[in-house]
Amino acid sequence: MSAVSRVTRLAPFRPPLAEDRWRLGVLGLLALTAVSLVVFQQSFRHLEALVASRVFAGGGVTTYTGSDDVVVFMLPGSRAFALEVTPECTSAFLIAPFAAVGAVMLLRRRLDPSRVLLGVGVAAVLLVLANQLRVGVIAGLVSAFGIEQGYQWGHLVVGSVISVVFIALSAAIVIFLVASGYRGRHETGTS
């Protein structure tokens, strides 16, 4: 077989379809999201603290957050408890892997970009809610059992359980949403 005949067997160039552009756009968005969450995690932590301050102040709890990533809860007896959203406790580092895996998933042409984007979006919302729940549980246990015992139980035990449950739930939802939108070979027209 000559080199010329090999060249003629190559598929002719075809411009990218709208579907390919959509897939690549979603892939880029998810990759950019993953990188941004890592690079700008300090700003994200401040946002989480600010949201927690607003959420729990709405429930009758006196809270405050300044220009940093700390939420201050007023405890009974005119005492205050400050809770810092540290790099280890931010949902940014939980969401970033989901976004990165979603981007990598889109390297396969058979996966529906809309389903991957929806799955990662739902996972992100769940992980942010889980982190807000953790903050509230920690504050509630500190208020009920004191700073030392309440913090240990709230952060190390109950908070960890909340994180594990929500991470597993988020992963299951992503898998379900992506798998339910899987397009087989016969649907894409590829061989």
Side-chain angles (χ1 to χ4, degrees), residues 20-21 25 39 41 53 55 68 73 86 88 93 97 104 111 114 123 126 130 137 140 142 146 151 167 178 180 182 188:
D20 291 336
R21 288 191 298 267
V39 171
Q41 55 88 17
S53 176
V55 166
D68 51 11
F73 292 90
T86 62
E88 299 84 21
F93 291 140
V104 170
L111 296 179
S114 299
L126 285 174
V137 165
V142 164
Y151 180 78
I167 290 168
V178 171
S180 66
Y182 178 78
T188 61

Side-chain angles (χ1 to χ4, degrees), residues 40-51:
F40 299 109
Q41 55 88 17
Q42 173 67 40
S43 298
F44 193 84
R45 289 189 292 136
H46 173 69
L47 182 61
E48 284 182 300
L50 189 62
V51 169

Side-chain angles (χ1 to χ4, degrees), residues 28-42:
L29 174 68
L30 290 174
L32 181 64
T33 299
V35 170
S36 295
L37 284 168
V38 172
V39 171
F40 299 109
Q41 55 88 17
Q42 173 67 40

Side-chain angles (χ1 to χ4, degrees), residues 132-149:
Q132 294 298 312
L133 180 60
R134 286 181 70 224
V135 168
V137 165
I138 292 168
L141 290 174
V142 164
S143 180
F145 299 112
I147 291 177
E148 188 175 321
Q149 188 177 13

Side-chain angles (χ1 to χ4, degrees), residues 96-116:
F98 277 91
V101 167
V104 170
M105 291 170 105
L106 288 174
L107 294 174
R108 288 199 47 135
R109 299 183 91 195
R110 294 186 186 146
L111 296 179
D112 183 357
S114 299
R115 305 294 288 195
V116 173

Side-chain angles (χ1 to χ4, degrees), residues 159-185:
S160 295
V161 169
I162 290 169
S163 291
V164 168
V165 167
F166 274 82
I167 290 168
L169 180 63
S170 297
I173 287 173
V174 169
I175 291 168
F176 172 76
L177 288 173
V178 171
S180 66
Y182 178 78
R183 298 177 304 196
R185 289 173 93 122

